Amino acid sequence: QVQLVESGGGLVQPGGSLRLSCAASGSIFRLDIMGWYRQAPGKQRDLVATVSSAGSTNYADSVEGRFTISRDNAKNTVYLQMNSLKPEDTAVYYCNRKEFRPSTPTDYWGQGTQVTVSS
C-alpha cells in the first residue's frame, strides 16, 4: 500500500522559510487530493493546504499568501513552501493523501515532521 515520508522540517527564525517534502511510494492511485495538516501541542490537527491530482489548490486563511503547495506527479512528491514564518506556525506537519476509488476511498498519513519558529 501507499507510504508517505516527510522531510524538511527544522528550526527557523521568524520571517524565515522552509520547504517540506512528502514522497509517496507503493501503488499510487491517480485520482487523489494530497494535503498538509499541522498539529501544535494541545491543539487539534488542522488543514493547511491541499492540491488535487488536477492541480487545484486550497489554503487555510492563516497561511494564504505565505505558503505554497505544489506537486510533482512524475516523482510522486508533494511540497509545501513556507515563507514569512511566524511563531504560531510551530507544529508537527503531516502529509495526507486521499484516494477516491469508486467504492473504497482511502486515507494515508505520513509520520510528521517538526517545524519550530523561534528567535
Side-chain angles (χ1 to χ4, degrees):
Q1 67 180 16
V2 172
Q3 181 177 217
L4 305 177
V5 179
E6 297 132 322
S7 62
L11 175 64
V12 65
Q13 293 188 345
S17 298
L18 285 173
R19 191 189 194 200
L20 306 183
S21 298
C22 174
S25 62
S27 182
I28 307 300
F29 190 73
R30 296 181 181 181
L31 300 180
D32 72 272
I33 294 176
M34 296 194 70
W36 290 93
Y37 292 69
R38 65 186 182 185
Q39 187 169 20
K43 295 189 175 182
Q44 185 178 5
R45 186 176 297 187
D46 293 325
L47 184 145
V48 177
T50 62
V51 57
S52 74
S53 53
S56 299
T57 59
N58 185 58
Y59 297 91
D61 289 343
S62 59
V63 306
E64 183 75 49
R66 299 188 297 121
F67 292 9
T68 302
I69 190 170
S70 62
R71 63 192 294 167
D72 185 335
N73 290 330
K75 296 181 178 180
N76 292 321
T77 301
V78 63
Y79 305 95
L80 185 68
Q81 178 67 46
M82 304 185 294
N83 299 325
S84 302
L85 283 162
K86 305 174 181 179
E88 51 263 45
D89 295 318
T90 296
V92 177
Y93 284 69
Y94 296 90
C95 182
N96 171 262
R97 180 181 178 89
K98 302 183 186 294
E99 296 185 345
F100 295 94
R101 301 176 184 271
S103 60
T104 55
T106 305
D107 264 313
Y108 299 94
W109 291 91
Q111 80 286 353
T113 185
Q114 176 71 48
V115 172
T116 302
V117 185
S118 177
S119 59

